[in-house]
Amino acid sequence: MKGAQRGSLEVTLDRDLCVLRGASAVINCRYSNPFSHAVIEVGWWKQYQMVGYWWPGSLPNFWASSQRYRYLGDFISDCRLQINDVQHADAGYYFFSFYTTFEDQKSKTSTKLYVKELTAAVQSSSVAEGDDIRLTCVSGCPTPVDIVWFKDGQLVRNEVL
């Protein structure tokens, strides 16, 4: 996790994330409030690129359960953000902020969210019924992704490498 500090308040964000389009992502985040001032508001921000410049914009209301953005944190130290049904438009830099009765803090660093496609391919140019085939799947993310295969709606259990 990487963070930022100003005075006594600190925000620590997850490192960059790579997520497959359509999946859910959780950005890990912690914040400290050593003087225990009452936290009155929290917020997540995303930088948008417009006309060659980066502009901050607040995320849609993540308190509503029907939204794709969901705040999983609390008003003590946890500030995790969940993004459901991730789309290419969700790619970008995310920041967290919180406000107490006396001070406010916005993370000085960000988590960059990369959105990639899942690509599956048959490695045979022609296939006849009953033939063995080899299917491959590439995620585009640098970290391994768990892939589950189904055939006719049933989970394929025998894995061949």
Side-chain angles (χ1 to χ4, degrees):
M1 288 190 151
K2 53 189 179 179
Q5 185 171 344
R6 189 190 82 197
S8 59
L9 306 177
E10 183 177 349
V11 177
T12 306
L13 290 171
D14 207 353
R15 60 182 167 236
D16 298 346
L17 295 174
C18 183
V19 180
L20 298 176
R21 185 178 58 83
S24 292
V26 174
I27 299 175
N28 290 311
C29 175
R30 307 283 301 167
Y31 66 100
S32 66
N33 179 10
F35 296 119
S36 299
H37 297 150
V39 175
I40 54 176
E41 186 179 344
V42 297
W44 273 93
W45 303 81
K46 180 182 176 219
Q47 279 192 330
Y48 297 91
Q49 190 171 19
M50 293 173 24
V51 195
Y53 295 98
W54 289 96
W55 301 92
S58 64
L59 294 181
N61 182 359
F62 48 70
W63 298 109
S65 60
S66 64
Q67 298 294 323
R68 289 190 321 109
Y69 298 98
R70 184 170 170 224
Y71 184 67
L72 301 177
D74 54 31
F75 281 80
I76 300 168
S77 64
D78 184 359
C79 48
R80 291 172 297 139
L81 175 69
Q82 179 176 338
I83 306 171
N84 296 310
D85 189 25
V86 171
Q87 298 299 313
H88 289 290
D90 295 317
Y93 297 92
Y94 288 81
F95 298 83
F96 174 75
S97 61
F98 69 99
Y99 306 90
T100 72
T101 50
F102 296 100
E103 295 184 74
D104 64 288
Q105 176 67 33
K106 183 176 181 183
S107 56
K108 304 289 186 248
T109 59
S110 62
T111 294
K112 185 172 184 183
L113 181 68
Y114 298 90
V115 180
K116 301 291 182 179
E117 292 289 332
L118 187 63
T119 306
V122 178
Q123 292 191 341
S124 180
S125 58
S126 63
V127 178
E129 187 174 343
D131 286 352
D132 287 336
I133 62 169
R134 181 182 176 109
L135 301 173
T136 58
C137 194
V138 178
S139 74
C141 287
T143 55
V145 175
D146 292 327
I147 305 295
V148 180
W149 292 96
F150 291 86
K151 178 182 177 184
D152 298 328
Q154 299 296 315
L155 178 66
V156 175
R157 295 196 183 276
N158 56 341
E159 182 178 319
V160 179
L161 299 175

